[in-house]
Amino acid sequence: MKIGQEPIRLSYKQGVFRLEAHLLICPSKGYRARADHYRQLVRSGLQDKWKTSFPVDDPMQEAIVQCLQARCPEALPGFLADLAQAQAQAELPEGDLVPRMTLEIFVSEDAYRGWFPQLHFAWQVLRAGRRPLLVYVKDLKFRSSHVQSALPRQIWGIFRDGRVISLGFNWHYRWPGLIRLAGSRSPQVFKREAAHEFGHTMGLGDAYAAWYRSYDPYPGSESYLMHSNRILSPEEIRMMFQAQASGKLQHFPYQWSWKKFWRGFRRELQARYRAVAKK
C-alpha cells in the first residue's frame, strides 16, 4: 500500500497533533433506517474522547520523536523547536511544570450506498485511493463491540509479537483493522465504545481484565479509555505514538496466570448464564 492510502493519518503543526480518520460507517439491515443517527454518534464519540491536551515529559518526548521520524520526518524540526519554546515557558514562575501539547481529531466519511463494504474497500485499494476505516453497526448477540483484522492478516499475527490477541487482530498503522459496534447500546454507551474501539485502530491494547490477559487488569487504569471507556490518559497517548513508530500493537503489561484465567473464565460463564436466564 502506498503512503497516503492509510485510513488514519497523523500530522503535526505548531503544538497540535492532528489525526485524520477516514471512515465508512456501515449499519446492517436492522439499523440502516437510522444510519445518520449512528454516523453522528460515531463522530461525536471520537471527538469527545480523542480531542485533548497532554503533558510532554521525557518519555512522551522520546515516543513522539520516534513517531515523527517514522511517520512524518518533515515535522520533526518544527516539533523540537515548539517543544524548546514550551519548555522555556514552563520554567517561568507562572508556567506549567511540564509543557503541554494538543491532540485533535478530524473525521471524514465515504458515502455508504448499501453495497458490500468489502467491494468498496477493494476498489479503493485497486485505484490507489484512500482506503476507509470500515465501521460496522450490527446486532452483536454473543460478542461485545470489537476490532479485528481482515482475513488475510489473521492467524500469522501471533508470530509478530507472540500475543494471543494477534491471532485475530494483527495490527499495523497501514492496516488498522475494522470496527464492529453493537447497535443495541444506548447512545452514550455506543459513543464511548466507538472511542474505545478506535483506540485499538490506533495501536492500543486493552487494559481491562480481558480473557487474553488472563483476566488481569492493568493496575491504576480504572479511568483509562482502554479500560473503562472514560478518559484518554497521557500513558495511552504515549503508547499510541510508540505504536505508530513501531507498527506494532502496544500492550499494557500483565502477568499470565492459568489460575487467574480459569477463575475469571468461570466468572464470565456464570455472568453470561445469568444474563441469558433473565431474558
Side-chain angles (χ1 to χ4, degrees), residues 164-221:
V164 176
I165 188 177
S166 299
L167 286 167
F169 184 38
N170 180 13
W171 183 87
H172 189 273
Y173 61 77
R174 293 185 178 179
W175 303 97
L178 54 91
I179 298 176
R180 300 184 188 275
L181 297 174
S184 59
R185 300 288 195 264
S186 68
Q188 290 301 319
V189 172
F190 184 91
K191 288 166 56 177
R192 292 197 296 267
E193 289 188 356
H196 174 101
E197 303 307 333
F198 182 78
H200 289 312
T201 68
M202 292 305 300
L204 299 177
D206 285 313
Y208 62 85
W211 68 268
Y212 47 81
R213 293 177 53 86
S214 75
Y215 297 95
D216 184 18
Y218 179 55
S221 67

Side-chain angles (χ1 to χ4, degrees), residues 37-148:
H37 169 71
Y38 287 107
R39 291 191 183 102
Q40 179 58 37
L41 289 181
V42 172
R43 281 176 169 270
S44 179
L46 268 56
Q47 290 285 353
D48 287 350
K49 302 297 183 181
W50 284 87
K51 184 176 182 180
T52 185
S53 66
F54 59 94
V56 184
D57 55 13
D58 290 342
M60 183 73 78
Q61 177 182 344
E62 181 180 358
I64 291 173
V65 168
Q66 293 174 352
C67 175
L68 294 180
Q69 287 175 335
R71 295 296 306 275
C72 41
E74 69 281 356
L76 183 56
F79 165 73
L80 294 176
D82 294 338
L83 180 62
Q85 182 178 1
Q87 288 173 334
Q89 294 175 347
E91 293 174 358
L92 297 175
E94 66 276 10
D96 293 330
L97 295 178
V98 179
R100 302 184 70 87
M101 291 193 175
T102 301
L103 178 67
E104 291 187 349
I105 185 167
F106 176 79
V107 180
S108 60
E109 290 185 55
D110 262 5
Y112 179 55
R113 300 177 176 85
W115 304 336
F116 287 106
Q118 297 88 343
L119 292 179
H120 180 94
F121 183 91
W123 171 245
Q124 291 297 90
V125 173
L126 290 174
R127 64 188 291 266
R130 187 177 181 188
R131 298 180 296 105
L133 176 66
L134 298 180
V135 181
Y136 294 92
V137 181
K138 302 174 69 69
D139 188 12
L140 301 176
K141 295 182 179 179
F142 303 106
R143 292 192 65 180
S144 58
S145 298
H146 61 279
V147 176
Q148 68 183 61

